[in-house]
Amino acid sequence: MDLSDQLKNLFPDHKPSEIEPETPKSDIWMQEDPIICKYEKRKGKPITILEGYSGADSDFKKLTKELKTKLSVGGSYKDERIIIQGDYRDKIMQMLKNKGFNVKRVGG
């Protein structure tokens, strides 16, 4: 006897309904132009810089926070650029592509 049979015995009047799962809509503005992902060293420390995103300030902050929490690293949003501490170009590019952004790698 599996779980569905047990539930039918407990709740004989219940009719299961099929609920279509909703696709999650992104609350971040998507753009056509590619986001440029590049690598630099500042004061001997590696950083990843994302440029070319033309969303609102709130969208920048949401995107920055999401990247920082998923990668568990520090970073900031300044002068329409997202700066992430460390060389995470491959991971960031994959995350942005999964969200639907067009990403271009520059340098190295």
Side-chain angles (χ1 to χ4, degrees):
M1 184 180 262
D2 64 340
L3 183 61
S4 61
D5 292 335
Q6 291 175 0
L7 289 173
K8 286 178 187 176
N9 289 339
L10 287 173
F11 304 104
D13 296 336
H14 179 71
K15 306 257 189 218
S17 62
E18 294 184 19
I19 299 174
E20 295 180 12
E22 294 182 19
T23 57
K25 293 184 179 177
S26 178
D27 56 348
I28 298 175
W29 184 76
M30 304 299 279
Q31 69 179 20
E32 297 296 321
D33 297 333
I35 295 177
I36 301 194
C37 184
K38 62 183 181 178
Y39 168 80
E40 284 185 11
K41 277 193 172 184
R42 292 188 182 168
K43 297 181 183 176
K45 310 250 174 145
I47 60 170
T48 304
I49 300 175
L50 299 172
E51 294 179 332
Y53 182 62
S54 58
D57 284 346
S58 60
D59 293 338
F60 266 112
K61 290 177 184 176
K62 286 179 189 176
L63 188 59
T64 304
K65 184 170 184 167
E66 185 176 335
L67 289 172
K68 287 174 16 180
T69 54
K70 285 190 177 180
L71 294 171
S72 300
V73 295
S76 66
Y77 153 67
K78 190 190 308 184
D79 299 328
E80 296 189 2
R81 290 199 226 165
I82 298 174
I83 300 170
I84 303 292
Q85 296 174 357
D87 184 11
Y88 293 100
R89 286 177 290 180
D90 297 329
K91 291 180 182 178
I92 290 173
M93 288 175 64
Q94 188 60 42
M95 288 168 50
L96 292 175
K97 284 180 183 176
N98 290 343
K99 289 180 82 55
F101 285 102
N102 186 9
V103 186
K104 188 182 237 183
R105 184 178 180 141
V106 175

